[in-house]
Amino acid sequence: MTSESTPPVEAPGRRTVVAAVGAAGLAVALTACGSSDDTSSSGGSGTQAGANASGGGSGSGSGGGTALAKTSDIPEGGGKIFKDRNVVVTQPAAGTFKAFSTRCPHMGCAVSSIAKGVIVCPCHGSQFSVEDGSVKKGPATSGLTAEKVTVSGDSITLA
Ligand code: FES
């Protein structure tokens, strides 16, 4: 009786082991799915954190006084346009630096070049003085908005 009953017990035992492995495999698969869901949801919050971080970064970039250029980058009697900062820096006289918004007050184009003491808007040809941003030639009726820059040593910083 005992020797007869032993083999049937072993057989189900093996099946149980196989089934358990199968279940474990499923559990692993489910866990993997679960963890990938977790990853994507935490990725979402990670993106938000990244957006916040970059927002803070650009905020400090535009208002935090990061170096814009070297004084030697700005030609005397002319200037240089920093498109990514939306600012144009001029040096009307040796050692005197001015900065203006690149946004043309006429219809909002970005000024694109500086020649012969004027900053030129490519859209309708308005020209602005490198000295104070005032209108030299229309159709713009008001000058460029002044921006604040600080010169420290040979480095120009957008305030
Ligand atoms: Fe600059 Fe018209 S937008 S001249």
Side-chain angles (χ1 to χ4, degrees):
M1 283 293 254
T2 313
S3 64
E4 266 180 27
S5 64
T6 304
V9 169
E10 264 182 36
R14 274 192 208 137
R15 278 190 203 122
T16 304
V17 169
V18 169
V21 169
L26 273 176
V28 168
L30 286 171
T31 305
C33 284
S35 71
S36 76
D37 283 351
D38 287 351
T39 305
S40 65
S41 65
S42 70
S45 63
T47 306
Q48 278 183 346
N52 289 341
S54 69
S58 67
S60 67
S62 59
T66 39
L68 191 64
K70 297 271 179 225
T71 51
S72 56
D73 293 338
I74 315 300
E76 193 180 325
K80 191 170 176 191
I81 294 166
F82 298 88
K83 271 190 198 153
D84 54 337
R85 306 292 292 272
N86 299 321
V87 71
V88 49
V89 178
T90 62
Q91 185 178 192
T96 301
F97 295 91
K98 297 281 178 75
F100 309 99
S101 164
T102 55
R103 186 184 150 86
C104 175
H106 177 229
M107 289 182 72
C109 288
V111 296
S112 64
S113 60
I114 299 171
K116 297 182 184 144
V118 293
I119 302 161
V120 182
C121 177
C123 289
H124 313 96
S126 288
Q127 296 180 0
F128 306 92
S129 167
V130 296
E131 287 173 33
D132 56 8
S134 62
V135 181
K136 286 283 188 186
K137 182 170 174 284
T141 55
S142 59
L144 297 175
T145 305
E147 297 279 345
K148 216 167 160 231
V149 284
T150 309
V151 180
S152 162
D154 66 346
S155 121
I156 302 174
T157 304
L158 191 58

